Amino acid sequence: MRIVIGGASLILAVVTAILVSVTSASPDRISVTVNEQARRVDISIDGQPFTSYIWPTTLKKPVLYPLRTAKGTIVTRGFPLDQRPGERVDHPHHAGLWFNYENVNGIDFWNNSDAIKSETAPKMGTVVHRSIVSAKNGVQEGELDVEADWVTFDKKVLLKENTHFVFRGAPGFRSVDRITTLRALDEKVDFKDQKDGMLGLRVIRALEIPSDKPEVYTDASGRPTTVAKLDNAGVNGTYLTSEGKKGDAAWGTRGRWCNLSGLVGDEPVTITILDHPANPGFPTYWHARGYGLFAANPLGQKIFSEGKQELNFSLAPHASVAFRYRILISSAIATPEATEAAYKEFVAAYH
Protein backbone atom coordinates (compact mmCIF):
# COMPACT_ATOMS: atom_id res chain seq x y z
CA MET A 1 0.00 0.00 0.00
CA ARG A 2 2.83 2.32 0.82
CA ILE A 3 4.33 1.61 -2.59
CA VAL A 4 1.11 2.59 -4.40
CA ILE A 5 0.70 5.76 -2.37
CA GLY A 6 4.34 6.58 -2.76
CA GLY A 7 4.13 6.00 -6.52
CA ALA A 8 1.05 8.20 -6.84
CA SER A 9 2.70 10.93 -4.83
CA LEU A 10 5.78 10.72 -7.01
CA ILE A 11 3.74 10.93 -10.22
CA LEU A 12 1.80 13.91 -8.87
CA ALA A 13 5.02 15.65 -7.90
CA VAL A 14 6.55 15.07 -11.33
CA VAL A 15 3.44 16.29 -13.18
CA THR A 16 3.28 19.39 -10.98
CA ALA A 17 6.96 20.11 -11.62
CA ILE A 18 6.49 19.78 -15.37
CA LEU A 19 3.49 22.14 -15.36
CA VAL A 20 5.35 24.70 -13.28
CA SER A 21 8.38 24.40 -15.54
CA VAL A 22 6.35 24.85 -18.71
CA THR A 23 4.43 27.87 -17.45
CA SER A 24 7.41 29.61 -15.86
CA ALA A 25 10.12 28.83 -18.42
CA SER A 26 8.38 30.40 -21.40
CA PRO A 27 6.24 33.41 -20.48
CA ASP A 28 5.50 35.84 -23.28
CA ARG A 29 8.40 38.29 -23.04
CA ILE A 30 7.05 40.40 -25.88
CA SER A 31 3.49 41.67 -25.57
CA VAL A 32 1.40 43.26 -28.30
CA THR A 33 -1.64 44.90 -26.71
CA VAL A 34 -4.46 46.24 -28.88
CA ASN A 35 -6.54 49.24 -27.78
CA GLU A 36 -8.82 50.06 -30.70
CA GLN A 37 -10.67 52.78 -28.79
CA ALA A 38 -7.41 54.65 -28.13
CA ARG A 39 -6.30 54.01 -31.75
CA ARG A 40 -3.10 52.26 -30.70
CA VAL A 41 -1.30 48.96 -30.20
CA ASP A 42 1.36 48.97 -27.48
CA ILE A 43 4.45 46.77 -27.71
CA SER A 44 6.47 46.00 -24.61
CA ILE A 45 9.48 43.75 -24.07
CA ASP A 46 10.26 42.23 -20.68
CA GLY A 47 7.65 44.52 -19.16
CA GLN A 48 9.20 47.70 -20.58
CA PRO A 49 7.58 49.81 -23.33
CA PHE A 50 9.29 49.61 -26.72
CA THR A 51 6.97 51.31 -29.22
CA SER A 52 3.34 51.74 -30.23
CA TYR A 53 1.55 51.41 -33.54
CA ILE A 54 -0.76 54.43 -33.57
CA TRP A 55 -3.24 56.02 -35.99
CA PRO A 56 -4.31 59.31 -34.38
CA THR A 57 -6.70 61.57 -36.24
CA THR A 58 -3.99 64.27 -36.25
CA LEU A 59 -1.70 62.28 -38.56
CA LYS A 60 -2.18 61.36 -42.22
CA LYS A 61 -0.75 57.84 -41.83
CA PRO A 62 -0.23 55.21 -39.12
CA VAL A 63 3.20 55.32 -37.45
CA LEU A 64 5.32 53.56 -34.88
CA TYR A 65 5.88 56.11 -32.12
CA PRO A 66 7.96 56.52 -30.09
CA LEU A 67 10.85 54.08 -30.58
CA ARG A 68 13.08 53.27 -27.61
CA THR A 69 16.38 51.55 -26.93
CA ALA A 70 16.58 48.49 -24.66
CA LYS A 71 17.41 50.91 -21.84
CA GLY A 72 14.23 52.89 -22.46
CA THR A 73 15.83 55.90 -24.17
CA ILE A 74 13.52 57.47 -26.78
CA VAL A 75 15.26 57.91 -30.16
CA THR A 76 12.41 59.44 -32.20
CA ARG A 77 11.59 63.15 -32.29
CA GLY A 78 8.56 64.24 -30.27
CA PHE A 79 7.10 66.86 -32.65
CA PRO A 80 4.36 67.03 -33.85
CA LEU A 81 2.84 64.59 -31.34
CA ASP A 82 4.73 65.59 -28.20
CA GLN A 83 6.99 68.61 -28.63
CA ARG A 84 10.11 68.57 -26.45
CA PRO A 85 12.40 71.48 -25.54
CA GLY A 86 15.32 71.96 -27.92
CA GLU A 87 13.92 69.86 -30.75
CA ARG A 88 13.23 71.11 -34.26
CA VAL A 89 9.62 71.69 -35.24
CA ASP A 90 9.99 71.58 -39.03
CA HIS A 91 8.30 69.04 -41.32
CA PRO A 92 5.19 68.20 -39.25
CA HIS A 93 4.66 65.12 -41.46
CA HIS A 94 7.85 63.58 -39.99
CA ALA A 95 6.44 61.58 -37.06
CA GLY A 96 7.95 58.41 -35.63
CA LEU A 97 8.55 55.65 -38.18
CA TRP A 98 6.30 55.60 -41.24
CA PHE A 99 5.92 54.24 -44.79
CA ASN A 100 4.56 56.20 -47.77
CA TYR A 101 5.63 57.98 -50.95
CA GLU A 102 5.57 61.40 -52.60
CA ASN A 103 4.14 60.51 -56.01
CA VAL A 104 1.51 57.79 -56.43
CA ASN A 105 -0.46 58.50 -59.61
CA GLY A 106 0.49 62.12 -59.03
CA ILE A 107 -0.78 62.15 -55.43
CA ASP A 108 1.60 63.11 -52.59
CA PHE A 109 1.26 60.80 -49.59
CA TRP A 110 4.57 61.83 -47.98
CA ASN A 111 4.12 65.56 -47.29
CA ASN A 112 0.51 65.51 -46.11
CA SER A 113 -0.27 67.00 -42.68
CA ASP A 114 -2.70 69.38 -40.99
CA ALA A 115 -0.20 72.17 -41.73
CA ILE A 116 -0.66 72.19 -45.51
CA LYS A 117 -2.48 75.01 -47.24
CA SER A 118 -6.11 74.35 -48.18
CA GLU A 119 -5.40 74.81 -51.89
CA THR A 120 -2.78 72.05 -51.69
CA ALA A 121 -5.05 69.49 -50.02
CA PRO A 122 -6.54 68.01 -53.24
CA LYS A 123 -3.03 66.96 -54.30
CA MET A 124 -2.44 65.06 -51.06
CA GLY A 125 -3.17 61.47 -50.08
CA THR A 126 -3.76 59.77 -46.73
CA VAL A 127 -2.83 56.28 -45.58
CA VAL A 128 -5.95 55.26 -43.63
CA HIS A 129 -5.68 52.51 -41.03
CA ARG A 130 -8.53 50.03 -41.58
CA SER A 131 -8.08 47.07 -39.24
CA ILE A 132 -5.92 45.01 -36.91
CA VAL A 133 -5.81 41.60 -38.56
CA SER A 134 -3.92 39.86 -35.76
CA ALA A 135 -1.75 40.60 -32.75
CA LYS A 136 0.43 37.91 -31.15
CA ASN A 137 2.54 37.88 -28.03
CA GLY A 138 5.63 35.69 -27.91
CA VAL A 139 8.75 34.55 -26.11
CA GLN A 140 11.19 35.49 -28.88
CA GLU A 141 9.04 37.87 -30.93
CA GLY A 142 5.72 39.64 -31.06
CA GLU A 143 3.73 40.06 -34.27
CA LEU A 144 1.20 42.54 -35.59
CA ASP A 145 -0.68 42.43 -38.88
CA VAL A 146 -2.62 45.48 -40.06
CA GLU A 147 -4.57 46.65 -43.10
CA ALA A 148 -4.68 50.16 -44.53
CA ASP A 149 -5.84 52.00 -47.65
CA TRP A 150 -3.95 54.66 -49.61
CA VAL A 151 -6.74 57.16 -50.25
CA THR A 152 -6.90 60.32 -52.37
CA PHE A 153 -8.47 63.62 -51.28
CA ASP A 154 -11.72 62.62 -53.01
CA LYS A 155 -11.78 59.26 -51.15
CA LYS A 156 -10.59 57.06 -53.99
CA VAL A 157 -8.53 54.05 -52.88
CA LEU A 158 -5.35 53.73 -54.96
CA LEU A 159 -3.67 50.93 -52.99
CA LYS A 160 -4.56 48.28 -50.44
CA GLU A 161 -1.83 47.82 -47.84
CA ASN A 162 -1.10 44.77 -45.70
CA THR A 163 1.75 45.17 -43.24
CA HIS A 164 3.34 42.51 -41.05
CA PHE A 165 5.41 43.76 -38.11
CA VAL A 166 7.77 41.60 -36.08
CA PHE A 167 9.12 42.98 -32.80
CA ARG A 168 12.17 41.54 -31.04
CA GLY A 169 14.46 42.54 -28.22
CA ALA A 170 17.00 41.53 -25.61
CA PRO A 171 19.47 43.36 -23.38
CA GLY A 172 21.27 45.80 -25.66
CA PHE A 173 18.99 45.79 -28.70
CA ARG A 174 15.50 46.21 -30.09
CA SER A 175 14.30 45.51 -33.62
CA VAL A 176 11.32 45.93 -35.93
CA ASP A 177 10.72 44.06 -39.16
CA ARG A 178 8.25 45.84 -41.42
CA ILE A 179 7.02 43.77 -44.37
CA THR A 180 4.55 45.83 -46.38
CA THR A 181 2.59 44.53 -49.37
CA LEU A 182 0.89 47.06 -51.63
CA ARG A 183 -1.81 45.91 -54.05
CA ALA A 184 -3.31 47.90 -56.91
CA LEU A 185 -7.03 47.77 -57.54
CA ASP A 186 -8.68 48.20 -60.94
CA GLU A 187 -6.17 50.63 -62.43
CA LYS A 188 -2.44 50.86 -62.96
CA VAL A 189 -0.54 52.64 -60.18
CA ASP A 190 2.59 54.63 -61.03
CA PHE A 191 5.30 55.58 -58.54
CA LYS A 192 7.20 58.27 -60.43
CA ASP A 193 10.79 58.83 -59.30
CA GLN A 194 10.69 61.38 -56.47
CA LYS A 195 12.89 62.42 -53.55
CA ASP A 196 10.53 61.80 -50.64
CA GLY A 197 9.94 58.16 -49.77
CA MET A 198 9.44 55.47 -48.55
CA LEU A 199 10.44 54.11 -45.14
CA GLY A 200 11.03 57.19 -43.00
CA LEU A 201 12.22 57.85 -39.46
CA ARG A 202 12.71 61.19 -37.68
CA VAL A 203 15.19 61.12 -34.80
CA ILE A 204 15.85 63.17 -31.68
CA ARG A 205 18.17 66.17 -31.72
CA ALA A 206 21.14 64.29 -30.21
CA LEU A 207 21.32 61.98 -33.24
CA GLU A 208 21.33 64.79 -35.80
CA ILE A 209 24.58 65.81 -37.47
CA PRO A 210 25.86 69.04 -35.83
CA SER A 211 24.78 72.03 -37.93
CA ASP A 212 27.49 74.53 -38.86
CA LYS A 213 25.58 77.04 -40.99
CA PRO A 214 22.73 79.52 -40.52
CA GLU A 215 19.24 78.04 -40.54
CA VAL A 216 15.64 79.12 -40.32
CA TYR A 217 14.05 77.64 -37.21
CA THR A 218 10.24 77.56 -37.19
CA ASP A 219 8.27 77.17 -33.98
CA ALA A 220 5.07 75.19 -33.50
CA SER A 221 2.98 78.24 -34.46
CA GLY A 222 4.82 78.62 -37.76
CA ARG A 223 6.82 81.68 -36.73
CA PRO A 224 10.29 81.57 -38.39
CA THR A 225 13.43 82.70 -36.59
CA THR A 226 16.78 82.95 -38.38
CA VAL A 227 19.67 81.76 -36.23
CA ALA A 228 23.41 81.76 -36.92
CA LYS A 229 23.42 78.06 -36.13
CA LEU A 230 21.58 75.78 -33.71
CA ASP A 231 22.99 74.91 -30.31
CA ASN A 232 25.05 71.79 -30.97
CA ALA A 233 25.43 70.77 -27.32
CA GLY A 234 25.02 67.00 -27.17
CA VAL A 235 24.43 66.76 -30.94
CA ASN A 236 26.78 64.12 -32.37
CA GLY A 237 25.00 61.85 -34.85
CA THR A 238 26.66 60.50 -37.99
CA TYR A 239 25.67 58.20 -40.83
CA LEU A 240 27.65 55.27 -42.21
CA THR A 241 26.50 53.19 -45.20
CA SER A 242 27.47 49.71 -46.31
CA GLU A 243 29.52 51.38 -49.06
CA GLY A 244 31.51 53.47 -46.57
CA LYS A 245 29.76 56.81 -47.12
CA LYS A 246 29.84 58.88 -43.93
CA GLY A 247 27.93 61.81 -42.46
CA ASP A 248 26.22 64.12 -44.94
CA ALA A 249 27.92 62.24 -47.79
CA ALA A 250 25.53 59.32 -47.21
CA TRP A 251 22.61 61.27 -48.65
CA GLY A 252 21.63 60.28 -52.18
CA THR A 253 23.91 57.22 -52.28
CA ARG A 254 22.99 53.56 -52.48
CA GLY A 255 23.67 50.80 -50.00
CA ARG A 256 22.23 47.63 -48.54
CA TRP A 257 22.29 49.15 -45.04
CA CYS A 258 22.87 52.43 -43.27
CA ASN A 259 23.74 53.23 -39.65
CA LEU A 260 22.97 56.38 -37.70
CA SER A 261 25.15 56.42 -34.57
CA GLY A 262 25.79 58.77 -31.67
CA LEU A 263 25.60 59.29 -27.94
CA VAL A 264 22.20 60.04 -26.41
CA GLY A 265 23.26 61.37 -23.05
CA ASP A 266 25.69 58.73 -21.85
CA GLU A 267 24.18 55.92 -23.92
CA PRO A 268 25.82 54.92 -27.22
CA VAL A 269 23.08 54.29 -29.79
CA THR A 270 22.97 53.03 -33.37
CA ILE A 271 19.83 52.96 -35.49
CA THR A 272 20.25 50.69 -38.51
CA ILE A 273 17.96 50.30 -41.52
CA LEU A 274 18.51 47.09 -43.49
CA ASP A 275 17.32 46.85 -47.09
CA HIS A 276 16.44 43.49 -48.66
CA PRO A 277 17.66 42.19 -52.05
CA ALA A 278 14.10 41.25 -53.04
CA ASN A 279 12.91 44.87 -52.68
CA PRO A 280 12.31 46.95 -55.81
CA GLY A 281 15.19 49.30 -56.53
CA PHE A 282 17.69 47.38 -54.37
CA PRO A 283 20.09 48.60 -53.12
CA THR A 284 18.05 51.54 -51.89
CA TYR A 285 19.05 55.19 -52.01
CA TRP A 286 19.47 56.80 -48.59
CA HIS A 287 17.41 59.93 -48.07
CA ALA A 288 19.48 60.56 -44.93
CA ARG A 289 19.55 64.19 -43.85
CA GLY A 290 21.72 65.81 -41.21
CA TYR A 291 18.67 67.39 -39.55
CA GLY A 292 17.37 63.99 -38.46
CA LEU A 293 15.38 62.54 -41.36
CA PHE A 294 16.58 58.96 -41.89
CA ALA A 295 14.80 57.33 -44.84
CA ALA A 296 15.24 54.56 -47.39
CA ASN A 297 13.91 55.49 -50.84
CA PRO A 298 14.35 52.74 -53.46
CA LEU A 299 12.04 54.48 -55.96
CA GLY A 300 13.69 57.90 -56.36
CA GLN A 301 16.51 56.87 -58.66
CA LYS A 302 16.23 59.71 -61.19
CA ILE A 303 16.46 62.33 -58.43
CA PHE A 304 19.37 60.84 -56.52
CA SER A 305 21.39 59.85 -59.59
CA GLU A 306 20.84 63.26 -61.22
CA GLY A 307 19.15 61.61 -64.18
CA LYS A 308 21.73 58.87 -64.77
CA GLN A 309 19.27 56.18 -63.67
CA GLU A 310 15.48 56.03 -63.73
CA LEU A 311 13.02 53.49 -62.35
CA ASN A 312 9.43 54.85 -62.53
CA PHE A 313 8.10 51.77 -60.75
CA SER A 314 4.50 50.78 -61.47
CA LEU A 315 1.91 48.18 -60.55
CA ALA A 316 -0.47 46.72 -63.13
CA PRO A 317 -4.14 46.46 -62.11
CA HIS A 318 -4.51 43.93 -59.25
CA ALA A 319 -0.74 43.37 -59.06
CA SER A 320 1.12 43.59 -55.76
CA VAL A 321 4.62 44.26 -54.47
CA ALA A 322 6.32 43.67 -51.12
CA PHE A 323 8.86 45.89 -49.35
CA ARG A 324 10.93 44.27 -46.59
CA TYR A 325 12.92 46.24 -44.01
CA ARG A 326 14.46 45.66 -40.61
CA ILE A 327 15.16 48.50 -38.19
CA LEU A 328 17.71 47.73 -35.45
CA ILE A 329 18.22 49.91 -32.38
CA SER A 330 21.45 48.99 -30.61
CA SER A 331 22.79 50.32 -27.32
CA ALA A 332 26.24 50.48 -28.89
CA ILE A 333 28.13 52.17 -31.71
CA ALA A 334 27.72 49.39 -34.25
CA THR A 335 30.73 48.38 -36.32
CA PRO A 336 30.46 47.73 -40.07
CA GLU A 337 31.29 44.06 -39.40
CA ALA A 338 28.48 43.66 -36.87
CA THR A 339 26.04 45.44 -39.16
CA GLU A 340 27.00 43.28 -42.12
CA ALA A 341 26.37 40.17 -40.02
CA ALA A 342 22.96 41.54 -39.02
CA TYR A 343 22.22 42.26 -42.68
CA LYS A 344 23.03 38.65 -43.69
CA GLU A 345 20.80 37.35 -40.92
CA PHE A 346 17.94 39.54 -42.13
CA VAL A 347 18.35 38.39 -45.73
CA ALA A 348 18.32 34.75 -44.63
CA ALA A 349 15.11 35.31 -42.65
CA TYR A 350 13.20 36.40 -45.79
CA HIS A 351 14.93 34.55 -48.60
Side-chain angles (χ1 to χ4, degrees):
M1 203 58 160
R2 270 181 260 167
I3 294 174
V4 173
I5 295 173
S9 300
L10 180 61
I11 292 171
L12 180 60
V14 169
V15 170
T16 301
I18 290 173
L19 289 173
V20 170
S21 174
V22 168
T23 55
S24 63
S26 57
D28 289 335
R29 293 180 48 250
I30 303 174
S31 66
V32 182
T33 305
V34 178
N35 187 338
E36 295 265 13
Q37 187 172 6
R39 304 174 72 92
R40 64 188 295 125
V41 180
D42 296 317
I43 295 90
S44 63
I45 299 178
D46 295 324
Q48 300 301 313
F50 169 33
T51 190
S52 298
Y53 171 85
I54 62 173
W55 59 101
T57 57
T58 55
L59 294 182
K60 303 303 182 182
K61 70 271 188 177
V63 301
L64 290 183
Y65 174 90
L67 288 166
R68 300 175 177 88
T69 70
K71 296 182 179 180
T73 301
I74 291 176
V75 297
T76 41
R77 182 181 71 164
F79 181 79
L81 295 167
D82 179 23
Q83 188 173 340
R84 309 184 195 115
E87 285 190 338
R88 298 176 189 262
V89 290
D90 58 90
H91 298 81
H93 50 280
H94 291 174
L97 175 73
W98 68 92
F99 183 90
N100 55 20
Y101 193 64
E102 182 183 357
N103 191 333
V104 183
N105 280 9
I107 302 299
D108 185 350
F109 285 84
W110 178 278
N111 291 288
N112 198 5
S113 77
D114 285 338
I116 63 170
K117 298 177 180 178
S118 57
E119 59 266 29
T120 306
K123 303 174 184 176
M124 297 292 174
T126 303
V127 181
V128 180
H129 168 84
R130 293 302 190 196
S131 67
I132 304 295
V133 178
S134 67
K136 299 178 183 177
N137 302 332
V139 178
Q140 298 298 328
E141 58 191 38
E143 299 180 65
L144 176 66
D145 287 272
V146 298
E147 292 181 335
D149 289 341
W150 292 41
V151 183
T152 66
F153 178 78
D154 56 3
K155 309 303 182 184
K156 180 180 181 180
V157 177
L158 290 183
L159 293 164
K160 304 289 287 186
E161 174 186 324
N162 293 87
T163 291
H164 177 63
F165 292 100
V166 181
F167 305 98
R168 300 182 182 89
F173 92 95
R174 295 287 186 263
S175 74
V176 179
D177 291 0
R178 177 173 182 141
I179 315 301
T180 293
T181 301
L182 301 177
R183 179 173 60 85
L185 299 181
D186 295 331
E187 66 176 287
K188 179 184 177 185
V189 178
D190 293 315
F191 299 76
K192 296 295 185 183
D193 290 33
Q194 293 286 353
K195 173 174 60 67
D196 289 333
M198 290 192 70
L199 181 78
L201 175 69
R202 186 64 190 264
V203 300
I204 58 172
R205 177 79 177 123
L207 292 176
E208 295 177 17
I209 296 175
S211 54
D212 58 0
K213 59 185 178 181
E215 299 186 43
V216 176
Y217 192 83
T218 306
D219 67 15
S221 300
R223 294 183 293 261
T225 301
T226 302
V227 294
K229 65 176 182 179
L230 296 179
D231 180 7
N232 285 320
V235 179
N236 66 127
T238 190
Y239 293 106
L240 175 65
T241 75
S242 58
E243 309 311 299
K245 300 296 184 181
K246 298 180 180 180
D248 288 319
W251 185 85
T253 67
R254 303 181 89 156
R256 55 193 178 277
W257 54 259
C258 185
N259 286 338
L260 174 56
S261 299
L263 290 174
V264 182
D266 295 330
E267 182 179 359
V269 172
T270 299
I271 302 173
T272 303
I273 299 178
L274 304 172
D275 193 18
H276 195 282
N279 287 345
F282 176 85
T284 189
Y285 279 92
W286 296 107
H287 187 13
R289 294 295 200 188
Y291 63 78
L293 170 64
F294 186 12
N297 182 358
L299 306 186
Q301 295 187 12
K302 184 175 182 179
I303 306 302
F304 297 117
S305 70
E306 297 180 338
K308 298 182 182 70
Q309 300 166 335
E310 192 168 354
L311 180 61
N312 287 327
F313 182 78
S314 65
L315 283 175
H318 307 292
S320 62
V321 61
F323 295 86
R324 308 157 183 86
Y325 297 101
R326 177 171 290 175
I327 299 90
L328 299 175
I329 304 173
S330 309
S331 296
I333 305 300
T335 65
E337 294 77 14
T339 308
E340 187 64 26
Y343 165 75
K344 291 178 179 177
E345 181 181 329
F346 171 54
V347 171
Y350 299 98
H351 60 275

